[in-house]
Amino acid sequence: MRLCLAVSLIASLCVTAYAQAPAKKYTPPKTPDGQPSIEGFWTNTTVTPLERPKDLGSKEFFTPEEAAAYAKKVLETKEVTGPGTYADVHYDMSQFGLTRAQNKIAGNTRTSIIVGPEGRVPAMLPAAAQRNAARAAANKGHEFDGPENRGLAERCLLWGNEGPPMLPAGYNSNLQIVQGKGYVTVMQEMIHDVRVIPTDGRAHLDPSIRQWFGDSVGHWEGNTLVVDTTNFTDRTAMRGSSENLHVVERFTRTDDDTVLYQFTVSDPSTWEKSWSGELPMSKTAGPIFEYACHEGNYGMANNLSGARAEEKAKASK
Amino acid sequence: MRNRLVLGFVALGMAAVPVLAHHSFAAEYDPGKPVKLKGKVTEMEWINPHSWIHLDVTGADGKVTSWMIEGGSPNALLRQGFTKTALPAGAEIVVEGYQAKDGSARANGRDITYADGRKLFMGSSGDGAPDAKK
Amino acid sequence: MYAEGLETGFVDFGQAVTIRSRSRMNLASTITSSIATFVLIAASAAGQTAYKAPRVDGHPDLNGIWQANNTANWDLEGHAAAIGPVPSLGAEFAVPPGLSVVEGGKIPYLPEAEAKKKANFARRFRDDPEIRCYLPGIPRATYMPYPFQIVQGRTQIMFTYEFAGGVRSVNMGKAGEAPVDSWMGWSAGRWEGDALVVDVTGLNAKTWFDRAGNFHSNELHVVERYTPRSADTLMYEATMEDPKTFSKPWKISMPLYRRVEKDARLLEYKCPEFTEELIYGPLRKQPKKQIE
């Protein structure tokens, strides 16, 4: 059931209201080789946070009206920044059409992407917390020594939204799915990485081959594409994960304009239990424009240069 | 006091890793060095992760300095139908921002307007923002 | 298929097949198969492949993992073997020899551009964008020594390249004009008989065609043709047009080979990490310790 309400600046926010798994009444079109089609351009831009705000407790769903009110609040929030503060050093996102208020939102009535009564990432195992803390401690005071001290995103290696699991980015939160014989390709706009997923349920790569994105293998269960990913590196560190990260995703076309995206994350070396989330992806207009991150990465050089200038200024005092 | 629409993640906890964190502007620019530049565009680089506007600024002494202004990803602009000719060479713009820490002629484009005061391309919320794409 | 005792040799077109068999028992089958071979070879020699690819959605099926097998990425034009840029790597990284893949042999530069090409060549082991793991553009992505994969959808065909995780989507509908330049260009595709024809515009001027400094401007227009040649090969042709750089259009062609291993797949080759010392090294707080 979809309810569309006027919400501030965008024409309307349509929310998918569902309290349980959607009824399987919709039959998606098929690709030439018989796969249910999830092809097209999709956006997972959302106002729904990954983790449920603490004050909502175990409330897993808004009513459609509550969802619209919440969205309105998120989209209209303005933050006051003082001149001469670090918070003020950025560009006005709206100049470039990058605010969520200026883009299509794939609405839903969930209070958080993570499902269940807690709606939050479970507690990290002590050893994992220690592992991550040690890593941070080793970098403390060295944050700008060189490129390896910067985050993966700044190095244009891997961005947090890419996953898996694939999560919304603050803007440009779009992806393109193309299905060919025996494969589903998912290309995320940022940072233009493409996941090539075979649908024959083959065995995973040899454990000695680790990849930033892991190794994804898919198979169809009815109209749902189930994608199993292992073989992550220990540097992928998805929210602090280890190389034992294991992600299972499900893609189900629920109507012409929506693909329901669900995921379960488990890592016995990081979290005491697995955690799952879901969010709808809405059809959006293509194309996806190139995002050549490494090629345009002036920022890395500028940041290191700024750090060297600061050190020099401190040294001469 | 400036009101500026920022990503809701600061106040409300965003769904994913904040995109702002991909690259620290605080590391690149000095909040103690505000600049207001008026000049002629020589080139706009429509690239990612950030667009860059090249600006020739004539100082009081008549000397021309070539500045680089850091802006946002141009992809949303392209989706709105803008193309590389949208900010042509010769266009006059005014940039308010902060200068690079290393002292080079580089600044973030916090607020960019045309000489007549119109906001660059999209303007802020409620001021010429386009209809949501279907 | 030849009878026992036949001398090893080759069939000479236009001449009767000489059978030097001592065995008369296989004579009939020998003649039949020899004629069949003659006809097949003759057909190939005439330049017409008898091969018609299986169809998907009414069009030739190009799905698969493909790879060029030549030295085009070193130098599109013919070249002898040469010493490499790193003496300590000796023969491991010397320049291999290769035939030209350019129709007519040489790339027709305008005089000014020819001088720039020579300058590029002199600094090729410093200025080649491949060194920095920059996206290779089209057509270079096709013949880099790594596999690429074609995933053929209904209205979009995805080409994903192992090198640097490059990707481009070929729009099989109305692509319109490229709004900005990009590294991998703006691709509009159509079918012409058994060939996929891709019109690539909007390429920026930052890529090279190869490691030899062959280059182009941002007015480059590439027309590619992918024609199924056999179950496991495609014929790849690309015509380059760039009035700022070349005196006339020129064309390259080469076969592409299917990676037929059972588990063939593209692996991750995210090379920006391997270029950080080169690009950002001078901006480090302390120089990185060199590994012997």
Side-chain angles (χ1 to χ4, degrees):
Chain A
M1 176 226 151
R2 283 163 70 79
L3 179 70
C4 297
L5 297 155
V7 177
S8 67
L9 314 149
I10 60 175
S12 67
L13 169 67
C14 293
V15 293
T16 301
Y18 51 89
Q20 60 208 17
K24 286 176 190 173
K25 287 187 198 134
Y26 173 73
T27 308
K30 293 272 201 297
T31 66
D33 69 326
Q35 299 179 44
S37 175
I38 49 173
E39 286 202 294
F41 298 94
W42 307 96
T43 181
N44 61 4
T45 305
T46 190
V47 295
T48 312
L50 177 68
E51 294 189 286
R52 188 169 309 139
K54 291 226 163 88
D55 60 313
L56 288 177
S58 60
K59 183 181 164 85
E60 204 170 344
F61 292 96
F62 286 130
T63 64
E65 292 78 12
E66 282 173 331
Y70 179 81
K72 203 169 145 82
K73 192 175 76 163
V74 168
L75 296 175
E76 287 181 349
T77 296
K78 288 188 206 297
E79 202 201 29
V80 175
T81 61
T85 63
Y86 272 115
D88 205 40
V89 181
H90 200 259
Y91 50 83
D92 181 352
M93 307 268 290
S94 67
Q95 283 170 154
F96 299 92
L98 297 175
T99 69
R100 282 179 289 179
Q102 292 166 302
N103 287 282
K104 177 173 186 172
I105 305 236
N108 77 95
T109 54
R110 283 192 170 277
T111 55
S112 59
I113 293 175
I114 296 180
V115 304
E118 286 130 21
R120 302 186 69 81
V121 180
M124 210 178 249
L125 295 166
Q130 207 174 347
R131 181 183 73 227
N132 284 296
R135 197 175 265 169
N139 204 37
K140 197 171 164 69
H142 299 284
E143 292 89 346
F144 291 93
D145 281 10
E148 300 85 359
N149 302 96
R150 309 301 304 142
L152 295 180
E154 195 170 309
R155 298 166 73 187
C156 284
L157 288 174
L158 189 68
W159 280 29
N161 60 287
E162 297 188 280
M166 302 189 296
L167 295 174
Y171 53 74
N172 292 343
S173 203
N174 306 307
L175 48 97
Q176 178 182 7
I177 297 180
V178 175
Q179 290 167 267
K181 196 171 64 178
Y183 286 89
V184 175
T185 57
V186 182
M187 185 182 72
Q188 295 176 79
E189 183 161 351
M190 302 199 296
I191 46 172
H192 232 68
D193 287 306
V194 60
R195 300 172 63 195
V196 184
I197 304 164
T199 57
D200 58 5
R202 65 180 66 175
H204 277 296
L205 284 175
D206 186 285
S208 63
I209 303 179
R210 318 304 294 193
Q211 304 193 129
W212 293 103
F213 278 85
D215 171 53
S216 293
V217 172
H219 69 276
W220 287 95
E221 283 174 12
N223 287 337
T224 298
L225 176 68
V226 182
V227 180
D228 191 287
T229 308
T230 60
N231 292 68
F232 289 94
T233 71
D234 62 357
R235 293 188 295 159
T236 301
M238 197 277 298
R239 302 188 81 89
S241 66
S242 76
E243 62 172 16
N244 296 319
L245 178 64
H246 179 200
V247 181
V248 180
E249 300 157 282
R250 304 176 97 85
F251 297 76
T252 311
R253 187 94 173 257
T254 55
D255 60 52
D256 279 349
D257 295 325
T258 316
V259 169
L260 179 65
Y261 176 71
Q262 299 165 299
F263 61 86
T264 300
V265 174
S266 42
D267 185 347
S269 305
T270 305
W271 296 291
E272 54 182 19
K273 54 183 178 177
S274 63
W275 45 285
S276 299
E278 70 175 36
L279 69 162
M281 305 197 300
S282 264
K283 198 167 224 166
T284 189
I288 303 247
F289 297 94
E290 185 171 272
Y291 201 99
C293 189
H294 170 64
E295 289 77 1
N297 197 5
Y298 286 108
M300 172 65 79
N302 293 343
N303 283 0
L304 294 177
S305 171
R308 301 291 85 80
E310 263 193 329
E311 284 153 13
K312 207 166 163 189
K314 277 200 182 108
S316 63
K317 284 208 168 96
Chain B
M1 201 70 144
R2 251 185 316 274
N3 282 346
R4 191 163 59 88
L5 188 68
V6 292
L7 283 183
F9 85 93
V10 173
L12 296 163
M14 208 172 94
V17 174
V19 178
L20 277 179
H22 91 79
H23 141 53
S24 172
F25 273 67
E28 196 178 344
Y29 301 103
D30 189 340
K33 290 198 212 155
V35 289
K36 183 162 180 170
L37 307 164
K38 182 170 180 178
K40 281 203 159 79
V41 173
T42 53
E43 188 198 347
M44 176 164 172
E45 288 185 76
W46 292 73
I47 63 172
N48 288 298
H50 295 280
S51 55
W52 289 89
I53 299 172
H54 297 257
L55 198 62
D56 271 354
V57 180
T58 308
D61 57 358
K63 186 168 158 243
V64 176
T65 310
S66 203
W67 281 78
M68 268 179 84
I69 309 300
E70 185 161 8
S73 162
N75 290 24
L77 295 179
L78 299 174
R79 260 188 281 285
Q80 291 298 330
F82 292 99
T83 68
K84 62 186 171 186
T85 56
L87 188 63
E92 271 198 15
I93 61 174
V94 179
V95 176
E96 282 186 65
Y98 298 93
Q99 187 172 8
K101 270 187 179 163
D102 64 8
S104 58
R106 198 172 5 101
N108 65 301
R110 196 198 60 227
D111 292 295
I112 311 176
T113 59
Y114 295 100
D116 63 11
R118 276 179 306 126
K119 290 244 168 191
L120 192 72
F121 302 125
M122 309 297 281
S124 48
S125 341
D127 174 18
D131 288 338
K133 277 275 199 223
K134 295 273 179 305
Chain C
M1 76 187 78
Y2 295 109
E4 253 188 310
L6 179 67
E7 282 183 25
T8 345
F10 49 86
V11 176
D12 220 351
F13 309 134
Q15 291 180 4
V17 175
T18 306
I19 297 164
R20 301 208 179 115
S21 169
R22 292 208 190 100
S23 163
R24 287 169 151 258
M25 275 192 324
N26 293 332
L27 188 60
S29 62
T30 304
I31 291 170
T32 312
S33 56
S34 300
I35 289 169
T37 308
F38 178 90
V39 167
L40 196 60
I41 293 170
S44 302
Q48 281 178 338
T49 126
Y51 181 71
K52 202 161 167 68
R55 258 53 192 155
V56 65
D57 209 22
H59 299 296
D61 183 354
L62 301 179
N63 284 290
I65 298 173
W66 306 94
Q67 190 167 345
N69 190 7
N70 54 31
T71 61
N73 187 52
W74 278 102
D75 192 338
L76 290 180
E77 297 175 333
H79 51 280
I83 195 167
V86 184
S88 61
L89 287 176
E92 208 178 72
F93 205 74
V95 182
L99 301 171
S100 176
V101 296
V102 179
E103 215 163 79
K106 291 230 148 265
I107 299 170
Y109 282 104
L110 291 166
E112 248 179 55
E114 178 86 57
K116 179 157 199 289
K117 186 266 153 93
K118 286 198 163 84
N120 284 351
F121 184 82
R123 292 186 316 254
R124 64 197 182 285
F125 293 127
R126 189 194 74 183
D127 291 351
D128 182 0
E130 181 189 348
I131 294 170
R132 281 169 172 67
C133 182
Y134 289 158
L135 292 168
I138 302 295
R140 189 174 187 181
T142 312
Y143 48 79
M144 293 201 74
Y146 307 91
F148 69 90
Q149 185 162 359
I150 297 177
V151 179
Q152 195 171 325
R154 274 220 146 95
T155 56
Q156 301 273 338
I157 301 181
M158 197 76 99
F159 281 69
T160 93
Y161 303 89
E162 188 172 91
F163 181 76
V167 57
R168 55 122 179 208
S169 192
V170 176
N171 188 336
M172 299 301 286
K174 273 189 81 181
E177 261 186 58
V180 290
D181 290 345
S182 61
W183 289 81
M184 295 301 283
W186 186 256
S187 294
R190 64 182 187 274
W191 297 103
E192 272 183 22
D194 258 51
L196 171 67
V197 179
V198 185
D199 228 281
V200 189
T201 53
L203 289 157
N204 68 27
K206 298 178 185 174
T207 61
W208 281 8
F209 287 111
D210 55 26
R211 292 178 175 178
N214 287 306
F215 75 104
H216 57 86
S217 79
N218 67 352
E219 284 185 24
L220 178 65
H221 172 209
V222 182
V223 179
E224 303 172 282
R225 295 182 80 88
Y226 296 82
T227 312
R229 184 189 164 280
S230 72
D232 295 326
T233 58
L234 300 175
M235 203 60 199
Y236 177 68
E237 297 160 283
T239 303
M240 268 57 76
E241 210 177 310
D242 179 359
K244 270 194 354 211
T245 314
F246 311 113
S247 58
K248 57 180 178 169
W250 52 281
K251 184 177 151 189
I252 61 172
S253 65
M254 65 188 73
L256 298 173
Y257 300 88
R258 188 188 294 276
R259 293 294 299 263
V260 299
E261 304 95 301
K262 180 171 144 288
D263 280 334
R265 69 177 92 191
L266 267 54
L267 294 173
E268 239 179 38
Y269 191 58
K270 276 185 164 286
C271 42
E273 194 187 355
F274 314 140
T275 67
E276 283 176 330
E277 172 57 24
L278 172 68
I279 300 175
Y280 307 115
L283 292 169
R284 289 182 185 284
K285 188 171 184 178
Q286 263 120 36
K288 189 174 175 151
K289 291 192 182 79
Q290 292 305 312
I291 300 163
E292 281 304 310

PDB file of all heavy atoms in Angstrom, chain C residues 43-61:
ATOM      1  N   ALA C  43      35.711 -20.680 -47.939  1.00  0.00           N
ATOM      2  CA  ALA C  43      34.737 -19.707 -47.448  1.00  0.00           C
ATOM      3  C   ALA C  43      35.409 -18.705 -46.517  1.00  0.00           C
ATOM      4  O   ALA C  43      35.188 -17.515 -46.599  1.00  0.00           O
ATOM      5  CB  ALA C  43      33.593 -20.422 -46.741  1.00  0.00           C
ATOM      6  N   SER C  44      36.252 -19.198 -45.604  1.00  0.00           N
ATOM      7  CA  SER C  44      36.949 -18.300 -44.684  1.00  0.00           C
ATOM      8  C   SER C  44      37.874 -17.377 -45.439  1.00  0.00           C
ATOM      9  O   SER C  44      37.980 -16.208 -45.137  1.00  0.00           O
ATOM     10  CB  SER C  44      37.757 -19.105 -43.673  1.00  0.00           C
ATOM     11  OG  SER C  44      36.902 -19.968 -42.978  1.00  0.00           O
ATOM     12  N   ALA C  45      38.539 -17.920 -46.441  1.00  0.00           N
ATOM     13  CA  ALA C  45      39.484 -17.105 -47.204  1.00  0.00           C
ATOM     14  C   ALA C  45      38.761 -15.984 -47.921  1.00  0.00           C
ATOM     15  O   ALA C  45      39.291 -14.913 -48.128  1.00  0.00           O
ATOM     16  CB  ALA C  45      40.234 -17.981 -48.202  1.00  0.00           C
ATOM     17  N   ALA C  46      37.511 -16.239 -48.308  1.00  0.00           N
ATOM     18  CA  ALA C  46      36.746 -15.195 -48.993  1.00  0.00           C
ATOM     19  C   ALA C  46      36.358 -14.084 -48.027  1.00  0.00           C
ATOM     20  O   ALA C  46      35.815 -13.080 -48.409  1.00  0.00           O
ATOM     21  CB  ALA C  46      35.497 -15.800 -49.630  1.00  0.00           C
ATOM     22  N   GLY C  47      36.637 -14.198 -46.704  1.00  0.00           N
ATOM     23  CA  GLY C  47      36.365 -13.138 -45.736  1.00  0.00           C
ATOM     24  C   GLY C  47      34.976 -13.230 -45.135  1.00  0.00           C
ATOM     25  O   GLY C  47      34.571 -12.407 -44.348  1.00  0.00           O
ATOM     26  N   GLN C  48      34.229 -14.231 -45.514  1.00  0.00           N
ATOM     27  CA  GLN C  48      32.901 -14.372 -44.929  1.00  0.00           C
ATOM     28  C   GLN C  48      32.943 -15.462 -43.884  1.00  0.00           C
ATOM     29  O   GLN C  48      33.311 -16.584 -44.167  1.00  0.00           O
ATOM     30  CB  GLN C  48      31.893 -14.800 -46.001  1.00  0.00           C
ATOM     31  CG  GLN C  48      31.442 -13.682 -46.877  1.00  0.00           C
ATOM     32  CD  GLN C  48      30.494 -14.203 -47.931  1.00  0.00           C
ATOM     33  OE1 GLN C  48      30.504 -15.387 -48.250  1.00  0.00           O
ATOM     34  NE2 GLN C  48      29.688 -13.327 -48.492  1.00  0.00           N
ATOM     35  N   THR C  49      32.579 -15.065 -42.609  1.00  0.00           N
ATOM     36  CA  THR C  49      32.502 -16.137 -41.640  1.00  0.00           C
ATOM     37  C   THR C  49      31.128 -16.757 -41.786  1.00  0.00           C
ATOM     38  O   THR C  49      30.121 -16.075 -41.863  1.00  0.00           O
ATOM     39  CB  THR C  49      32.751 -15.642 -40.210  1.00  0.00           C
ATOM     40  OG1 THR C  49      31.665 -16.041 -39.412  1.00  0.00           O
ATOM     41  CG2 THR C  49      32.890 -14.137 -40.165  1.00  0.00           C
ATOM     42  N   ALA C  50      31.108 -18.085 -41.798  1.00  0.00           N
ATOM     43  CA  ALA C  50      29.834 -18.775 -41.903  1.00  0.00           C
ATOM     44  C   ALA C  50      29.123 -18.748 -40.562  1.00  0.00           C
ATOM     45  O   ALA C  50      28.006 -19.222 -40.448  1.00  0.00           O
ATOM     46  CB  ALA C  50      30.077 -20.214 -42.354  1.00  0.00           C
ATOM     47  N   TYR C  51      29.753 -18.194 -39.523  1.00  0.00           N
ATOM     48  CA  TYR C  51      29.230 -18.318 -38.171  1.00  0.00           C
ATOM     49  C   TYR C  51      28.077 -17.364 -37.919  1.00  0.00           C
ATOM     50  O   TYR C  51      28.146 -16.179 -38.210  1.00  0.00           O
ATOM     51  CB  TYR C  51      30.357 -18.056 -37.156  1.00  0.00           C
ATOM     52  CG  TYR C  51      29.893 -18.190 -35.743  1.00  0.00           C
ATOM     53  CD1 TYR C  51      29.587 -19.447 -35.214  1.00  0.00           C
ATOM     54  CD2 TYR C  51      29.712 -17.071 -34.935  1.00  0.00           C
ATOM     55  CE1 TYR C  51      29.124 -19.583 -33.923  1.00  0.00           C
ATOM     56  CE2 TYR C  51      29.254 -17.202 -33.630  1.00  0.00           C
ATOM     57  CZ  TYR C  51      28.966 -18.461 -33.133  1.00  0.00           C
ATOM     58  OH  TYR C  51      28.504 -18.593 -31.850  1.00  0.00           O
ATOM     59  N   LYS C  52      27.008 -17.901 -37.369  1.00  0.00           N
ATOM     60  CA  LYS C  52      25.888 -17.062 -36.949  1.00  0.00           C
ATOM     61  C   LYS C  52      25.661 -17.329 -35.468  1.00  0.00           C
ATOM     62  O   LYS C  52      25.366 -18.455 -35.070  1.00  0.00           O
ATOM     63  CB  LYS C  52      24.636 -17.408 -37.758  1.00  0.00           C
ATOM     64  CG  LYS C  52      23.627 -16.262 -37.762  1.00  0.00           C
ATOM     65  CD  LYS C  52      22.622 -16.408 -38.904  1.00  0.00           C
ATOM     66  CE  LYS C  52      21.436 -15.469 -38.729  1.00  0.00           C
ATOM     67  NZ  LYS C  52      21.787 -14.043 -38.874  1.00  0.00           N
ATOM     68  N   ALA C  53      25.814 -16.281 -34.667  1.00  0.00           N
ATOM     69  CA  ALA C  53      25.767 -16.445 -33.221  1.00  0.00           C
ATOM     70  C   ALA C  53      24.361 -16.804 -32.757  1.00  0.00           C
ATOM     71  O   ALA C  53      23.375 -16.409 -33.380  1.00  0.00           O
ATOM     72  CB  ALA C  53      26.208 -15.148 -32.540  1.00  0.00           C
ATOM     73  N   PRO C  54      24.271 -17.550 -31.651  1.00  0.00           N
ATOM     74  CA  PRO C  54      22.948 -17.777 -31.064  1.00  0.00           C
ATOM     75  C   PRO C  54      22.329 -16.438 -30.680  1.00  0.00           C
ATOM     76  O   PRO C  54      23.022 -15.448 -30.496  1.00  0.00           O
ATOM     77  CB  PRO C  54      23.241 -18.590 -29.795  1.00  0.00           C
ATOM     78  CG  PRO C  54      24.682 -18.844 -29.745  1.00  0.00           C
ATOM     79  CD  PRO C  54      25.349 -18.147 -30.871  1.00  0.00           C
ATOM     80  N   ARG C  55      21.000 -16.456 -30.594  1.00  0.00           N
ATOM     81  CA  ARG C  55      20.288 -15.199 -30.346  1.00  0.00           C
ATOM     82  C   ARG C  55      19.857 -15.083 -28.903  1.00  0.00           C
ATOM     83  O   ARG C  55      19.576 -16.080 -28.227  1.00  0.00           O
ATOM     84  CB  ARG C  55      19.032 -15.176 -31.234  1.00  0.00           C
ATOM     85  CG  ARG C  55      19.106 -14.339 -32.477  1.00  0.00           C
ATOM     86  CD  ARG C  55      20.283 -14.649 -33.356  1.00  0.00           C
ATOM     87  NE  ARG C  55      20.405 -13.602 -34.363  1.00  0.00           N
ATOM     88  CZ  ARG C  55      21.520 -13.283 -34.983  1.00  0.00           C
ATOM     89  NH1 ARG C  55      22.624 -13.953 -34.724  1.00  0.00           N
ATOM     90  NH2 ARG C  55      21.559 -12.328 -35.886  1.00  0.00           N
ATOM     91  N   VAL C  56      19.808 -13.855 -28.411  1.00  0.00           N
ATOM     92  CA  VAL C  56      19.133 -13.589 -27.152  1.00  0.00           C
ATOM     93  C   VAL C  56      18.264 -12.360 -27.393  1.00  0.00           C
ATOM     94  O   VAL C  56      18.723 -11.329 -27.870  1.00  0.00           O
ATOM     95  CB  VAL C  56      20.151 -13.368 -25.985  1.00  0.00           C
ATOM     96  CG1 VAL C  56      20.987 -12.133 -26.193  1.00  0.00           C
ATOM     97  CG2 VAL C  56      19.411 -13.287 -24.670  1.00  0.00           C
ATOM     98  N   ASP C  57      16.979 -12.518 -27.126  1.00  0.00           N
ATOM     99  CA  ASP C  57      16.050 -11.418 -27.373  1.00  0.00           C
ATOM    100  C   ASP C  57      16.113 -10.959 -28.836  1.00  0.00           C
ATOM    101  O   ASP C  57      15.963  -9.781 -29.140  1.00  0.00           O
ATOM    102  CB  ASP C  57      16.396 -10.243 -26.446  1.00  0.00           C
ATOM    103  CG  ASP C  57      15.174  -9.393 -26.111  1.00  0.00           C
ATOM    104  OD1 ASP C  57      14.047  -9.920 -26.223  1.00  0.00           O
ATOM    105  OD2 ASP C  57      15.346  -8.212 -25.780  1.00  0.00           O
ATOM    106  N   GLY C  58      16.370 -11.895 -29.733  1.00  0.00           N
ATOM    107  CA  GLY C  58      16.413 -11.580 -31.152  1.00  0.00           C
ATOM    108  C   GLY C  58      17.733 -11.012 -31.653  1.00  0.00           C
ATOM    109  O   GLY C  58      17.889 -10.747 -32.842  1.00  0.00           O
ATOM    110  N   HIS C  59      18.682 -10.835 -30.775  1.00  0.00           N
ATOM    111  CA  HIS C  59      19.960 -10.243 -31.176  1.00  0.00           C
ATOM    112  C   HIS C  59      21.105 -11.203 -30.876  1.00  0.00           C
ATOM    113  O   HIS C  59      20.974 -12.073 -30.020  1.00  0.00           O
ATOM    114  CB  HIS C  59      20.199  -8.937 -30.418  1.00  0.00           C
ATOM    115  CG  HIS C  59      19.150  -7.911 -30.675  1.00  0.00           C
ATOM    116  ND1 HIS C  59      18.936  -7.358 -31.927  1.00  0.00           N
ATOM    117  CD2 HIS C  59      18.233  -7.347 -29.856  1.00  0.00           C
ATOM    118  CE1 HIS C  59      17.943  -6.497 -31.849  1.00  0.00           C
ATOM    119  NE2 HIS C  59      17.500  -6.476 -30.616  1.00  0.00           N
ATOM    120  N   PRO C  60      22.239 -11.035 -31.566  1.00  0.00           N
ATOM    121  CA  PRO C  60      23.392 -11.910 -31.288  1.00  0.00           C
ATOM    122  C   PRO C  60      23.754 -11.863 -29.808  1.00  0.00           C
ATOM    123  O   PRO C  60      23.715 -10.801 -29.180  1.00  0.00           O
ATOM    124  CB  PRO C  60      24.516 -11.288 -32.133  1.00  0.00           C
ATOM    125  CG  PRO C  60      23.834 -10.512 -33.188  1.00  0.00           C
ATOM    126  CD  PRO C  60      22.526 -10.064 -32.628  1.00  0.00           C
ATOM    127  N   ASP C  61      24.071 -13.026 -29.286  1.00  0.00           N
ATOM    128  CA  ASP C  61      24.380 -13.146 -27.859  1.00  0.00           C
ATOM    129  C   ASP C  61      25.865 -12.853 -27.644  1.00  0.00           C
ATOM    130  O   ASP C  61      26.720 -13.655 -28.005  1.00  0.00           O
ATOM    131  CB  ASP C  61      24.039 -14.570 -27.397  1.00  0.00           C
ATOM    132  CG  ASP C  61      24.271 -14.766 -25.909  1.00  0.00           C
ATOM    133  OD1 ASP C  61      24.795 -13.843 -25.245  1.00  0.00           O
ATOM    134  OD2 ASP C  61      23.942 -15.862 -25.399  1.00  0.00           O
TER     135      ASP C  61
END
